[in-house]
Amino acid sequence: MVAYEVFHTMKVRKKGKVGSMAIKLDMSKTYDRIEWGYLEAVMGKLGFCRKWIDLIMRSVSIVSYSDLINWKPGSSSYPRRGLRQGDPLSPYLFILCAKDDCILFGRAKADENLKIQEFLFKYEKASRQFLNKEKTAVFFSSNLRLEEKEKIMEIGGTIMRGSYEKHLGLPPVVGKSKYNTFRSIKERVWKKISNWKNSFLSFAGKEVLIKAVLQSIPTYTMSVLKLPKNLCKELNSLMENFWWGNSTKSSGIHWCRLEKLGRPKGSGGLGFRDVKSFNLALLAKQGWRFLLNPRSLVAKIFKEKYYRSGPLLEAKLGHRPSFIWRSVWGALKLLWEGLRWRVWEC
């Protein structure tokens, strides 16, 4: 959310002599380059006990490779680095040592860009990590002159080859067509359903897939951005058709509406979430976090930009707000309805 607010400020800024830039970094084959000695040292610095560290290092270092020669395994070789992708423990170990996808913000000046590149080369040499040049990209503020932009791109041409399309799975700036921006969510849900069509699934199996897979696909996006109403309606329709459909018919007969299926099981429903209502609840939760942790970085930034002179619940939408603030602001009414006063005894 902090990064998106910075992106929005960069986009709407039209004045100022000095522009700003954001460089999105993507590391190449990061899991394969994690050195085991470095992993062990980091866990020790973070305070993990020796027994736990030894257990982790044994599970990591048991990997061995052997070549097949005439369908017979040859001598084994033992690597000294790398984490196995697909293993559920590997992402947590990787986060301790490196960051795969991050953004650097700075002033859009040629000399500062040279300094950033210098630091990146030092980081590569020290960590044995390497930038993925095809995915590393740069985003400039609107007030930057074209000559300065071309100069920076010329200097950073060796590492700035990618196009700035997404960060952490979401577009850096949401355009006028909200539906087209988030249409990929519907495509992902439809792809999952299409793969299950020929499977003979029971209603119990469908319930698990809807709750654990289909409804979880848009959750990450809905936690910070408000999806268009027609997209929410289409997602609900896809899940409803999947529930009532069978191997021969994609939709089948709908014996009751989704509203009844969304009721708790104790009230005769199945607990399916309505996409629009769940989206609003997640956005209201972000507002609750602003109230609960006013000293957090994200809360300070939003307060400074949108409700500097008053409390959150009395904030106005403001002039040219970001789409994230529009989304959170639209859920403040729901947050207000759910708030309660609690009296504490002294």
Side-chain angles (χ1 to χ4, degrees):
M1 294 177 71
V2 171
Y4 271 65
E5 283 305 309
V6 178
F7 281 132
H8 176 260
T9 302
M10 291 171 64
K11 182 186 177 184
V12 300
R13 179 177 292 170
K14 303 296 182 182
K15 299 180 181 180
K17 296 181 179 180
V18 181
S20 53
M21 62 181 179
I23 303 175
K24 189 188 83 165
L25 305 179
D26 190 273
M27 310 310 293
S28 177
K29 297 182 178 180
T30 46
Y31 275 67
D32 299 335
R33 300 182 189 276
I34 294 294
E35 295 186 354
W36 295 341
Y38 181 69
L39 173 63
E40 185 176 5
V42 167
M43 288 194 292
K45 285 291 185 179
L46 291 175
F48 289 95
C49 68
R50 189 69 245 176
K51 186 177 180 181
W52 172 260
I53 295 176
D54 291 340
L55 181 64
I56 293 296
M57 296 310 300
R58 283 200 301 269
S59 66
V60 168
S61 58
I62 59 175
V63 181
S64 64
Y65 301 97
S66 59
D67 298 324
L68 285 177
I69 303 175
N70 295 328
W71 302 105
K72 292 183 180 179
S75 58
S76 299
S77 59
Y78 297 90
R80 296 183 178 179
R81 65 175 65 184
L83 298 174
R84 284 170 289 182
Q85 296 193 47
D87 182 84
L89 188 62
S90 294
Y92 299 100
L93 299 178
F94 173 78
I95 289 174
L96 298 178
C97 300
K99 177 64 177 171
D100 185 34
D101 192 356
C102 63
I103 299 178
L104 302 178
F105 293 99
R107 292 184 296 180
K109 287 187 174 183
D111 55 343
E112 294 202 9
N113 185 41
L114 284 172
K115 277 292 183 182
I116 290 175
Q117 289 196 52
E118 180 183 337
F119 289 135
L120 290 175
F121 291 143
K122 286 183 179 180
Y123 172 77
E124 287 182 337
K125 188 176 180 180
S127 65
R128 304 289 179 91
Q129 300 287 332
F130 295 95
L131 288 173
N132 186 343
K133 297 177 182 179
E134 301 299 328
K135 293 184 178 181
T136 299
V138 63
F139 180 87
F140 295 106
S141 60
S142 300
N143 66 325
L144 184 65
R145 293 179 302 171
L146 181 61
E147 304 84 43
E148 192 72 20
K149 186 183 301 185
E150 291 177 347
K151 188 177 181 180
I152 292 174
M153 291 299 295
E154 183 180 354
I155 295 173
T158 56
I159 65 170
M160 298 176 184
R161 298 181 186 175
S163 58
Y164 213 133
E165 297 177 352
K166 287 187 177 183
H167 172 59
L168 299 177
L170 298 175
V173 177
V174 178
K176 293 183 178 180
S177 178
K178 307 294 189 298
Y179 182 88
N180 290 332
T181 302
F182 303 112
R183 186 172 54 186
S184 59
I185 296 175
K186 178 185 174 182
E187 294 171 355
R188 289 170 59 195
V189 172
W190 173 248
K191 186 177 180 180
K192 290 287 185 183
I193 293 175
S194 299
N195 292 335
W196 300 332
K197 266 188 178 180
N198 295 326
S199 303
F200 295 94
L201 297 170
S202 63
F203 278 113
K206 288 183 178 181
E207 179 185 355
V208 173
L209 289 174
I210 289 174
K211 292 181 177 179
V213 181
L214 298 184
Q215 291 187 338
S216 65
I217 289 175
T219 300
Y220 170 67
T221 305
M222 292 193 303
S223 63
V224 291
L225 299 171
K226 186 178 181 180
L227 300 185
K229 293 180 180 179
N230 53 345
L231 180 60
C232 294
K233 188 176 181 180
E234 290 175 2
L235 291 175
N236 282 333
S237 180
L238 285 175
M239 298 178 196
E240 192 175 6
N241 290 338
F242 174 68
W243 173 255
W244 294 114
N246 50 53
S247 58
T248 57
K249 295 182 179 181
S250 59
S251 58
I253 300 176
H254 294 209
W255 294 104
C256 65
R257 299 180 65 182
L258 186 64
E259 288 79 1
K260 291 186 177 180
L261 295 176
R263 294 174 182 173
K265 288 189 175 181
S267 302
L270 291 170
F272 292 151
R273 292 168 177 165
D274 174 68
V275 176
K276 181 182 175 182
S277 300
F278 187 48
N279 189 186
L280 198 63
L282 290 175
L283 294 172
K285 190 174 182 180
Q286 295 292 357
W288 170 246
R289 287 172 175 167
F290 290 171
L291 292 175
L292 204 62
N293 303 303
R295 295 186 179 181
S296 64
L297 178 61
V298 63
K300 288 180 179 179
I301 288 177
F302 274 78
K303 181 174 178 59
E304 188 68 21
K305 284 191 68 175
Y306 299 113
Y307 54 101
R308 183 190 302 180
S309 58
L312 171 65
L313 297 176
E314 297 178 6
K316 305 296 182 181
L317 184 59
H319 177 65
R320 300 187 69 181
S322 68
F323 188 56
I324 284 186
W325 173 244
R326 284 181 180 272
S327 302
V328 175
W329 184 83
L332 291 182
K333 182 180 178 181
L334 176 64
L335 176 63
W336 177 264
E337 293 173 354
L339 291 177
R340 297 292 183 272
W341 287 101
R342 176 178 292 180
V343 179
W344 293 91
E345 293 183 4
C346 298

